[in-house]
Amino acid sequence: MGRGRQILDLRVDKPHSARMYDYLLGGKTHYPADREAAVKATEGWPGLPTAARANRAFLHRAVRYLVRQAGVRQFLDIGTGIPTSPNLHEVAQAEDPSARVVYADNDPIVLAHARALLRGTGQGRTAYLDADLRQPRSLLEQPELAATLDLAEPVALTIIATVHFVPDHHDPFGAVATLMEALPSGSFLLLSHATPDFSPEEINKAVAAYHAGGIEAQVRTHRGILPFFDGLDLLDPGLVLITDWHPDTSPFGTPTDSDVSFYGGLAKKP
Ligand SMILES: C[S@@+](CC[C@H](N)C(=O)[O-])C[C@H]1O[C@@H](n2cnc3c(N)ncnc32)[C@H](O)[C@@H]1O
């Protein structure tokens, strides 16, 4: 963990995307500024809490798929968020206790709660990196990464509900490509991303609420998200609404496309 024992400045006076998301999911790690911004975003896009839950369900299904169907045992999860049960390693290790997960996030509140992410099975392993998606090379150089994962074996890079917080001027496409280059053939990219395709006015109001709180955000169309998968083989069913990606019985009814407004996809490195 890069910041070690330094005192963390959580800036609770300002909203943070991880804490807003925790509030939307019904968690307990948020402050008035986060709640206020999340309420504003939800006033603009009433589907937002549904989308957040649909996104967690997508993450769980896709991780189970990766372990069961694709035989993946190693995960690099960037933009992890505040621990939310079940966390990625719990889903993966329930399928195979030897699964290994490296988590990474750049938000100090996630770092403050990271210990909950490090309680894996005895057989499997987890690690946490205080790292930024916008600096992929320094993320890759953190010693805990190679100490936890065997980078000669396939890894699933999971970037869930995170790249929409990285606008184009930070080159998120280059960052994801750099990370995938560092992983061997047979590795995977799993991504989910908010989109204005179904309800542009509502989504743009929600984006404005994030911007008003000082949080960078950029939603992207289907065509705008596809380049994240350049050079990879996008697997069936492609880049689709997250609720349409290998669906199972939904715990929250049948939300409209506009309520979900998140695309998700899984691709394999040839
Ligand atoms: C909406 S949460 C998603 C959490 C989790 N991946 C999920 O889908 O349930 C987005 C997370 O991305 C993190 N994040 C945003 N920008 C980031 C960056 N440049 N580098 C690393 N993490 C980032 C935030 O701190 C937050 O924890």
Side-chain angles (χ1 to χ4, degrees):
M1 287 183 210
R3 274 176 264 196
R5 286 172 181 270
Q6 282 175 25
I7 293 169
L8 298 173
D9 181 2
L10 300 180
R11 293 300 311 265
V12 298
D13 54 319
K14 287 179 63 195
H16 270 228
S17 65
R19 299 189 307 232
M20 288 171 68
Y21 183 66
D22 184 73
Y23 173 73
L24 293 166
L25 287 171
K28 293 192 181 125
T29 310
H30 40 74
Y31 297 88
D34 308 309
R35 295 193 280 277
E36 218 171 277
V39 166
K40 277 217 180 77
T42 306
E43 279 166 7
W45 172 27
L48 180 54
T50 303
R53 284 188 296 143
N55 180 64
R56 286 303 295 183
F58 166 77
L59 168 64
H60 299 160
R61 289 199 309 283
V63 168
R64 278 196 294 271
Y65 179 96
L66 278 162
V67 179
R68 283 183 200 168
Q69 263 91 345
V72 172
R73 296 294 178 268
Q74 308 194 97
F75 293 84
L76 171 57
D77 180 60
I78 302 181
T80 295
I82 292 161
T84 302
S85 184
N87 294 291
L88 192 157
H89 73 281
E90 293 163 326
V91 177
Q93 292 178 348
E95 298 296 324
D96 185 331
S98 70
R100 297 174 177 199
V101 180
V102 172
Y103 291 111
D105 203 290
N106 70 345
D107 192 325
I109 192 86
V110 183
L111 174 61
H113 289 267
R115 202 168 300 150
L117 298 168
L118 303 177
R119 288 190 212 108
T121 58
Q123 273 173 283
R125 289 179 65 185
T126 61
Y128 181 81
L129 312 180
D130 178 23
D132 197 309
L133 174 61
R134 296 168 299 181
Q135 279 124 36
R137 288 185 207 286
S138 55
L139 188 154
L140 289 165
E141 281 164 12
Q142 291 211 24
E144 293 96 329
L145 178 65
T148 309
L149 305 181
D150 176 356
L151 295 175
E153 291 293 322
V155 174
L157 172 63
T158 60
I159 312 182
I160 308 299
T162 296
V163 266
H164 46 235
F165 295 117
V166 186
D168 285 352
H169 64 90
H170 291 298
D171 190 21
F173 299 98
V176 172
T178 300
L179 292 163
M180 286 308 295
E181 270 164 31
L183 303 179
S185 163
S187 291
F188 292 86
L189 172 65
L190 177 72
L191 194 113
S192 75
H193 197 303
T195 184
D197 282 359
F198 302 95
S199 203
E201 270 183 38
E202 291 188 342
I203 303 296
N204 288 333
K205 280 186 198 158
V207 170
Y210 279 83
H211 287 169
I215 299 168
E216 286 197 304
Q218 180 181 349
V219 289
R220 296 181 176 91
T221 61
H222 190 270
R223 185 194 278 213
I225 298 168
L226 274 176
F228 283 110
F229 299 100
D230 277 357
L232 308 174
D233 298 330
L234 195 53
L235 304 184
D236 275 347
L239 181 66
V240 295
L241 261 185
I242 49 176
T243 38
D244 291 337
W245 195 91
H246 295 282
D248 55 13
T249 41
S250 156
F252 42 83
T254 45
T256 63
D257 293 357
S258 129
D259 279 350
V260 176
S261 288
F262 262 65
Y263 287 120
L266 175 67
K268 187 171 186 178
K269 181 171 175 176

